[in-house]
Amino acid sequence: MTSVALFELILGLLGAALLLSLVAGRLGFPPAAALVLGGMALAVAPGLPAFDLDPDLIMVLFLPPLLLESAYFTVWRDFRASLGPILSLSLGAVVFTTLVVGLVAHAVVPALPWAACFALGAIVSPPDAVAAKAVLARVALPRRMITVLEGESLVNDASGLVLYRFAVAAALTGSFSAWSAAGSFAWLAVAGVAVGLACGLGVNALVRRLHDANAITVLSFLAAYAAYLAAEEVHASGVLAVVACGLMMGGREHETFDAQTRRHAVVVWQFVVFVLEALVFVLIGLALRGVLARTGGEFGSLAAGLPLALAVTAACVLARLLWVFPAVYLRRSLSARVRAEEPPPNPAVPLIIGWAGMRGVVTLAAALALPVDFPGRDAILLAAFVVILFTVLVQGTTLGALIRRLRLDPTAHLPDGHLDAAMARVVVNEAGLAALEGLVFPETGTLQHRRLVEEYRRRVRATSRDRDERGALEAEKTEHFTAALLAVRSGRSALIGLHRENRIHNSVLRQLEAEIDLEELHLKRLAGPASTHHG
């Protein structure tokens, strides 16, 4: 395939991803599932040029920015408080699933070497950060559960990939050392985190010296790739390096970024993440073409490998559930601190955590990276593909319905003393008023900046009333912001009319349009969900 043809193919995939995302939004269907199905349709479509998915390129191109974005918005305080459950899933569940899948695979295909069976288990054992984020973004869960699931998906790739590397080496060489595996994992983890923290500190130091939003945004992307590649260069975990870098940058964001830079970076990152996530899921579906090519291009020839694929899929799902339920209750029975600080677990919690084990790009890349002469390579690739399909298409699409049916309260387990948005808004406005009153009463006793002080007093009264009478004021609030948005949109129409009549220059149009955009966004943010139903 020529470079131009490859570029045209990428543009076509982006167009298909955009269309599938729009259709999924209209139908209320999870975009990740729609994109995978669309990729599968493209895989069997005639006339599509053949191309190979390079697993190393997939890992390097997609994982660093997507992991950094997830880690950046992870609250370190919540992550640290949930470290026990996160490690239980990212280490214990991954190892347990690898063992169960290996045993099941060998029982179904006795001719498959043990090392190859456990390599398959390591490939399908770690849930994927990209898939988890795509699904969890559309469901309402308690904050602690979101932290546990996203935290697990951020760090479990390290344990899965260590098991994978040693299982592959054992299958090819016939030798395995548990001590060597433990030492390798320790180095991967410690060195990976150290590299990531160093990159995060370096980026934060550079950001303080830069004053250009574009430069800082580019630097944030370079940080993701620098952390990943630097860690891989010293044979450490690039995944953990990116996660550590993202946590470091996100934790210092409010000190290092000004408002303009933060707003600019968020917009750019949202766009890039949307494109990368869309391409990842389309490529997962498109991997079906490679699976078919290795089995003669006929769907019927897949039948020989389906028993193993279906057995491995069932083993993945059941192993996670078998691990999660005892782990939740065992942790509570063994720790007096957990019993004192946390309420008794709702049985719905382990069920949802157990069902939320979506696999994705890491599983696909690991399966594709198997050596050509690896025992049972084609059967392993098919099994990995079926696991991804089931977890994304079935678990991913039913997770929201399961959560709604179990009626978990998204506000459950919030720490005592935490303020909600309305209460925090009162505190913010009171602090602003206090600062102004401290400035406007000099020794003469005269009041300066009367209008500004009165504006902040009005804000304090309004936010206090909103906090105390929120329910009664909801209808009034909706009417107020509906009218305000109507005025803004009317002004926009008048501005566009002036431009069409050639009564204002294009530069004036852009300047005033930007001001109107900011005002409309501000009103929508204050109005909340109600504003989306008008205009």
Side-chain angles (χ1 to χ4, degrees):
M1 180 184 296
T2 65
S3 300
V4 174
L6 178 60
F7 179 67
E8 292 173 348
L9 177 61
I10 293 173
L11 290 180
L13 293 179
L14 279 175
L18 175 60
L19 179 61
L20 289 167
S21 298
L22 294 175
V23 171
R26 289 276 184 167
L27 300 177
F29 196 66
L35 291 166
V36 171
L37 289 174
M40 293 175 64
L42 291 174
V44 298
L48 192 69
F51 71 101
D52 292 323
L53 298 176
D54 185 340
D56 293 330
L57 178 61
I58 291 176
M59 296 284 279
V60 173
L61 177 61
F62 292 103
L63 267 190
L66 294 177
L67 283 173
L68 186 82
E69 193 266 348
S70 295
Y72 185 90
F73 290 104
T74 296
V75 181
W76 168 245
R77 186 184 295 109
D78 295 345
F79 185 90
R80 184 178 57 189
S82 303
L83 193 58
I86 289 172
L87 292 179
S88 172
L89 292 171
S90 59
L91 293 177
V94 167
V95 174
F96 182 70
T97 302
T98 299
L99 293 175
V100 171
V101 170
L103 292 172
V104 169
H106 196 267
V108 176
V109 186
L112 196 63
W114 278 108
C117 293
F118 290 124
L120 172 57
I123 288 171
V124 300
S125 61
D128 185 68
V130 180
K133 178 176 176 293
V135 172
L136 294 176
R138 299 175 57 85
V139 299
L141 281 174
R143 187 175 67 186
R144 180 176 172 80
M145 287 184 65
I146 293 286
T147 300
V148 169
L149 290 170
E150 291 187 345
E152 173 208 6
S153 66
L154 287 174
V155 301
N156 62 11
D157 291 334
S159 53
L161 290 175
V162 168
L163 293 173
Y164 166 78
R165 290 176 184 176
F166 277 89
V168 171
L172 296 177
T173 64
S175 63
F176 173 76
S177 170
W179 286 108
S180 178
S184 176
F185 178 77
W187 170 256
L188 283 170
V190 174
V193 170
V195 170
L197 292 178
C199 285
L201 288 171
V203 170
N204 286 338
L206 285 173
V207 167
R208 291 190 179 95
R209 299 176 180 275
L210 297 176
H211 304 286
D212 181 83
N214 288 319
I216 293 173
T217 303
V218 171
L219 178 63
S220 66
F221 282 98
L222 291 177
Y225 291 107
Y228 186 89
L229 294 174
E232 291 292 322
E233 189 67 25
V234 297
H235 306 290
S237 172
V239 170
L240 291 181
V242 175
V243 171
C245 181
L247 287 171
M248 173 64 71
M249 292 173 61
R252 302 290 180 86
E253 168 204 0
H254 305 289
E255 303 170 8
T256 55
F257 286 7
D258 58 27
Q260 179 185 358
T261 300
R262 186 182 302 109
R263 182 167 168 266
H264 180 274
V266 166
V267 171
V268 174
W269 269 94
Q270 285 176 341
F271 165 74
V272 173
V273 167
F274 170 80
V275 171
L276 292 180
E277 285 184 346
L279 282 177
V280 161
F281 288 111
V282 170
L283 289 174
I284 287 174
L286 204 57
L288 176 62
R289 175 180 289 254
V291 174
L292 291 174
R294 289 177 175 84
T295 54
E298 298 291 337
F299 281 102
S301 60
L302 296 176
L306 279 181
L308 175 63
L310 295 177
V312 166
T313 302
C316 279
V317 175
L318 292 177
R320 183 175 175 86
L321 290 169
L322 288 173
W323 177 268
V324 168
F325 271 92
V328 169
Y329 292 98
L330 183 63
R331 177 172 172 267
R332 181 174 178 82
S333 64
L334 295 178
S335 173
R337 184 182 63 83
V338 172
R339 291 194 299 272
E341 296 179 358
E342 299 178 9
N346 184 334
V349 171
L351 178 59
I352 291 173
I353 290 177
W355 193 245
M358 287 70 66
R359 274 66 169 180
V361 63
V362 173
T363 293
L364 176 65
L368 291 172
L370 288 173
V372 176
D373 58 345
F374 192 82
R377 184 181 190 276
D378 294 343
I380 291 174
L381 180 58
L382 174 61
F385 187 77
V386 172
V387 169
I388 295 172
L389 288 186
F390 181 86
T391 55
V392 173
L393 299 183
V394 178
Q395 290 181 293
T397 55
T398 58
L399 183 61
L402 179 64
I403 292 169
R404 289 190 294 271
R405 186 169 184 82
L406 295 175
R407 298 180 180 178
L408 274 182
D409 181 8
T411 63
H413 310 318
L414 288 177
D416 294 335
H418 271 219
L419 303 178
D420 62 12
M423 296 177 180
R425 193 172 291 116
V426 174
V427 174
V428 169
N429 287 325
E430 286 177 341
L433 177 60
L436 286 173
E437 288 177 338
L439 291 174
V440 300
F441 288 104
E443 295 178 358
T444 60
T446 58
L447 180 65
Q448 299 177 1
H449 309 297
R450 291 178 179 272
R451 291 184 178 180
L452 186 57
V453 173
E454 185 55 37
E455 167 65 18
Y456 266 80
R457 287 175 177 168
R458 184 195 64 77
R459 289 187 185 183
V460 171
R461 290 194 300 269
T463 51
S464 299
R465 187 180 64 167
D466 183 61
R467 175 196 61 191
D468 299 333
E469 306 172 14
R470 197 177 313 169
L473 290 173
E474 195 62 37
E476 179 183 345
K477 173 184 173 182
T478 300
E479 293 177 1
H480 170 83
F481 284 109
T482 299
L485 286 169
L486 176 63
V488 168
R489 289 164 181 162
S490 298
R492 184 192 300 278
S493 298
L495 178 66
I496 294 174
L498 290 174
H499 183 257
R500 287 175 176 172
E501 296 169 6
N502 201 26
R503 297 173 62 186
I504 57 173
H505 189 264
N506 193 64
S507 60
V508 176
L509 169 68
R510 290 185 178 277
Q511 178 183 348
L512 297 185
E513 188 177 45
E515 295 174 4
I516 292 174
D517 287 342
L518 289 174
E519 184 176 2
E520 183 172 350
L521 288 173
H522 180 64
L523 286 171
K524 286 183 176 180
R525 184 166 59 250
L526 292 178
S531 67
T532 61
H533 301 299
H534 301 278

